[in-house]
Amino acid sequence: MPSVLCKCGNKLSFGGIPNSIEWLMISDDGFEKFQGSVDAEYIYREMNSALKCSCCGRLLVFWNGFDVSPISYMPE
Ligand SMILES: [Zn+2]
């Protein structure tokens, strides 16, 4: 299973379905494209994945898919 290393040293695995540490995000503009009943798969493809580290709370956001390193956001 693929994984990424958090800056705290915790290894975060992704690729599992479902993944309990993965959150899905979509911009409000992106969501506006969808009206009425839609196939969840269409919305899923528009979303960015974020992994939440259970050790330090950082969010590692994959803004450009899983082939590009994620950007890390740390809680204040
Ligand atoms: Zn961490």
Side-chain angles (χ1 to χ4, degrees):
M1 186 174 297
S3 64
V4 63
L5 199 59
C6 181
K7 290 184 178 180
C8 76
N10 190 25
K11 183 177 157 185
L12 306 176
S13 296
F14 59 94
I17 301 172
N19 186 346
S20 62
I21 64 166
E22 183 175 353
W23 296 78
L24 301 169
M25 303 187 304
I26 189 169
S27 71
D28 195 39
D29 284 344
F31 188 73
E32 279 294 315
K33 293 190 297 187
F34 300 100
Q35 299 288 324
S37 297
V38 294
D39 187 329
E41 190 64 30
Y42 292 130
I43 295 177
Y44 182 82
R45 283 189 226 140
E46 292 291 320
M47 292 194 276
N48 296 103
S49 290
L51 302 179
K52 185 178 180 184
C53 180
S54 60
C55 291
C56 69
R58 282 185 175 93
L59 285 177
L60 281 67
V61 181
F62 292 85
W63 291 113
N64 297 295
F66 287 109
D67 293 334
V68 180
S69 295
I71 303 295
S72 179
Y73 298 88
M74 185 176 175
E76 290 186 22

